[in-house]
Amino acid sequence: MNNVALPFESFGVSHRGCVRELNEDSYLVEPETGLWVVADGMGGHDAGEVASASIVDHLATIGIASSAPDLRARFEDRLSRANAEIRRISESRGVTIGSTVAALLAMEGRFACLWAGDSRVYLIRNASISQISKDHTEVQELLDKGMISAAEALTWPRRNVITHAVGVSDEIVIDFQQGEIMPGDIFVLSTDGLTAHVTDAEIEAAAVSATPQAACENLLQTVLARGGTDNVTIVLVKIGDGRNGAHPDPSRAES
């Protein structure tokens, strides 16, 4: 991780699932630039895979930033370019296409998580998992207003309708959270194909008990075993914890 003494290891997987014929998800694992991304092309629309690929392709050009603010600025610039490209494709085809995005930026001992849509970022710290991102969905808005319960949200008919995405309008609405990186932190980025079948507790158990590669592969197999109704993409980033001697080699980070 750029200019950070803490060692880390990361890995990512993506699969079309058991039902969909096409994988409209994309992801990016760029440890040398301090960037990890998942993107989910909008289901039910033409060329969702084009939208998610555009996001990843543009973000892959970020390069090495000079500082954490520079990294954030480069991220927002590339995402804006992807949004413009997706808009041009939409106009040329006469259809609306778009993609969620969830990203982890890490540099100088700090992290920033940025997202649009319902792809998620989790942080596992001190044996406790928390969802850093907050879904941009109709059902989340209803929950926030107290109009439905958490139990009702699980089966709400329009629970998969997202309210923000990249490519659907000229202006991008992105939320973010930031903080300090701590030894032992584990970040999990995923599209909703994972969370549709696996609980937060199961994500935590898989992430803390194995290497990023094994954890990603184990979670993917769990999703497929449970029917895999959507595309699923998982990216996991582990920060080395000196307290337990876990010092992964950064050279082992893979995509």
Side-chain angles (χ1 to χ4, degrees), residues 225-242:
R226 294 177 181 177
T229 55
D230 198 355
N231 307 147
V232 55
T233 299
I234 310 157
V235 169
L236 196 147
V237 183
K238 271 193 176 184
I239 311 301
D241 186 348

Side-chain angles (χ1 to χ4, degrees), residues 134-145:
K134 186 175 184 178
D135 297 348
H136 292 147
T137 58
E138 285 190 3
V139 73
Q140 185 63 55
E141 291 183 352
L142 293 172
L143 277 169
D144 291 344
K145 295 175 182 176

Side-chain angles (χ1 to χ4, degrees), residues 46 89-90 126 155 170 172 180 184 186 189-190 213 254-255:
D46 182 38
I89 295 172
S90 295
N126 297 327
T155 57
D170 290 335
I172 311 173
E180 184 180 355
I186 304 173
L189 290 70
S190 75
Q213 179 175 352
E254 300 180 48
S255 58

Side-chain angles (χ1 to χ4, degrees), residues 143-206:
L143 277 169
D144 291 344
K145 295 175 182 176
M147 298 177 68
I148 62 173
S149 67
E152 290 174 319
L154 296 175
T155 57
W156 197 256
R158 291 170 59 85
R159 62 187 178 278
N160 294 322
V161 176
I162 60 177
T163 54
H164 299 307
V166 179
V168 298
S169 62
D170 290 335
E171 297 295 326
I172 311 173
V173 177
I174 303 176
D175 277 344
F176 77 95
Q177 292 286 343
Q178 59 187 356
E180 184 180 355
I181 297 169
M182 302 295 291
D185 282 351
I186 304 173
F187 293 91
V188 182
L189 290 70
S190 75
T191 58
D192 63 342
L194 172 68
T195 51
H197 297 282
V198 181
T199 67
D200 290 3
E202 289 173 320
I203 294 172
E204 178 187 349

Side-chain angles (χ1 to χ4, degrees), residues 89-146:
I89 295 172
S90 295
E91 292 173 4
S92 67
R93 299 189 180 189
V95 295
T96 298
I97 64 174
S99 176
T100 71
V101 64
L104 168 67
L105 282 63
M107 193 173 186
E108 299 174 341
R110 295 189 60 81
F111 72 84
C113 297
L114 303 96
W115 69 94
D118 60 357
S119 292
R120 293 180 176 177
V121 183
Y122 291 93
L123 171 60
I124 302 169
R125 175 177 288 177
N126 297 327
S128 178
I129 187 170
S130 59
Q131 182 180 334
I132 297 180
S133 60
K134 186 175 184 178
D135 297 348
H136 292 147
T137 58
E138 285 190 3
V139 73
Q140 185 63 55
E141 291 183 352
L142 293 172
L143 277 169
D144 291 344
K145 295 175 182 176

